[in-house]
Amino acid sequence: MRAMPDLTAAPRARRLFRTSIGLKLVMAATGVVLSAFVLGHMLGNLTALGGEAAMNAYAESLRKLPPALWGIRAVLLGSLVLHVWAFVALYRKNNAGRPAGYRVTTFSASSWPSRAMWWTGPLLFAFVVYHLLHMTWGTVHPDFREMEVVTDPVLGTHLRAHTYHNLVTGLRAPGVAVVYLVAMAALGFHLHHGVWSVFQTLGFSQPRRASAARRFATLFTLLVCGGFALIPLLALFGRLG
Ligand code: HEM
């Protein structure tokens, strides 16, 4: 006899994502995707240390497969939306089950890195909007150069990026470099607590495993934020371009 399909599976999955553990899993999974992006983006930015040709060649190579690029952008946007949604749903859930007046106690009882997520999250969101207007669309950039399609007798028709020029001229004003540095500090707080929380969600509560998880969170944060901060720091001290 053929097995009957499990018709309860879909509602069960939906029910799981309404529980606290389901929402924490959504935050953890989307947090891992976003962390992988910042690590990759930081490594890509470091091509600037190799000079103009190296960074522009890297930017051109990212555009060689448009479906892959748009696929990655869609996954990133989806992850960001789900990450914020799960956070808001979790917050509402935690407050709904409490008697009136309990909220103040919860806030003061939570750790400061956890409370810092309240301002680092919106600050990072505002930074990403500014950053896209600055480095991707050029709307708030003083001398933005669009990518061009050029035809060359040797290379044929290909894209020519001006990412290095946009980076160097975009960070030349000290105020702008400082905005980037402040945003990287906020990213540091957010990333450190976020990575640590992923391990907590996965049940790393035993002291030895918890301290290994904390060490990993610290190293990962230093690597990503230190690598990112290098570029505006070099710009600030006149060492870029
Ligand atoms: C010092 C720090 C950073 C620098 C110097 C920097 C630099 C850049 C540059 C030059 C581009 C344009 C790349 C191109 O056109 O090929 C870019 C794009 C982008 N950056 Fe950053 N970035 C920094 C930090 C961040 C952070 C922390 C995030 C996210 C949290 C971020 C998110 C993005 C996104 C989403 C794009 C658009 C990518 C696309 O074309 O789809 N960046 N960045």
Side-chain angles (χ1 to χ4, degrees):
M1 208 165 72
R2 246 187 324 143
M4 291 290 286
D6 183 3
L7 295 175
T8 59
R12 217 184 289 145
R14 220 174 298 145
R15 247 180 287 139
L16 170 68
F17 288 116
R18 292 212 190 103
T19 64
S20 293
I21 186 66
L23 292 169
K24 281 183 184 173
L25 283 172
V26 171
M27 286 208 73
T30 51
V32 168
V33 171
L34 296 168
S35 303
F37 166 74
V38 285
L39 176 66
H41 185 26
M42 181 278 291
L43 292 172
N45 279 351
L46 292 186
T47 57
L49 303 180
E52 181 153 24
M55 183 172 223
N56 289 346
Y58 168 71
E60 285 155 13
S61 73
L62 291 179
R63 266 88 179 173
K64 285 212 169 119
L65 267 178
L69 179 65
W70 282 102
I72 293 170
R73 283 171 172 165
V75 168
L76 280 178
L77 189 62
S79 299
L80 181 65
V81 170
L82 280 175
H83 197 69
V84 175
W85 167 77
F87 176 76
V88 172
L90 203 53
Y91 172 75
R92 283 203 181 142
K93 203 170 187 51
N94 287 344
N95 271 352
R98 297 203 167 102
Y102 194 76
R103 202 177 306 175
V104 176
T105 319
T106 321
F107 188 74
S108 57
S110 63
S111 64
W112 75 263
S114 149
R115 291 201 303 270
M117 301 308 253
W118 277 98
W119 61 267
T120 54
L123 201 136
L124 280 173
F125 183 76
F127 166 75
V128 171
V129 173
Y130 165 72
H131 181 50
L132 289 176
L133 290 169
H134 189 216
M135 295 287 187
T136 300
W137 300 313
T139 327
V140 295
H141 192 286
D143 183 20
F144 191 78
R145 290 197 196 152
E146 293 282 356
M147 205 167 268
E148 296 168 274
V149 180
V150 290
T151 307
D152 182 287
V154 181
L155 297 170
T157 301
H158 65 103
L159 283 174
R160 183 180 291 155
H162 299 285
T163 310
Y164 187 82
H165 164 88
N166 293 339
L167 184 79
V168 172
T169 52
L171 293 176
R172 196 165 276 162
V176 175
V178 169
V179 165
Y180 271 76
L181 287 171
V182 170
M184 291 314 106
L187 177 66
F189 285 118
H190 201 88
L191 208 50
H192 188 265
H193 186 67
V195 172
W196 161 237
S197 302
V198 169
F199 285 109
Q200 275 186 315
T201 301
L202 296 178
F204 278 51
S205 50
Q206 189 231 349
R208 271 226 335 249
R209 297 179 85 197
S211 91
R214 221 175 255 287
R215 238 176 295 137
F216 177 83
T218 305
L219 281 177
F220 185 79
T221 304
L222 286 176
L223 175 74
V224 170
C225 297
F228 267 138
L230 200 59
I231 304 291
L233 275 175
L234 288 173
L236 208 53
F237 292 104
R239 303 268 163 185
L240 195 68

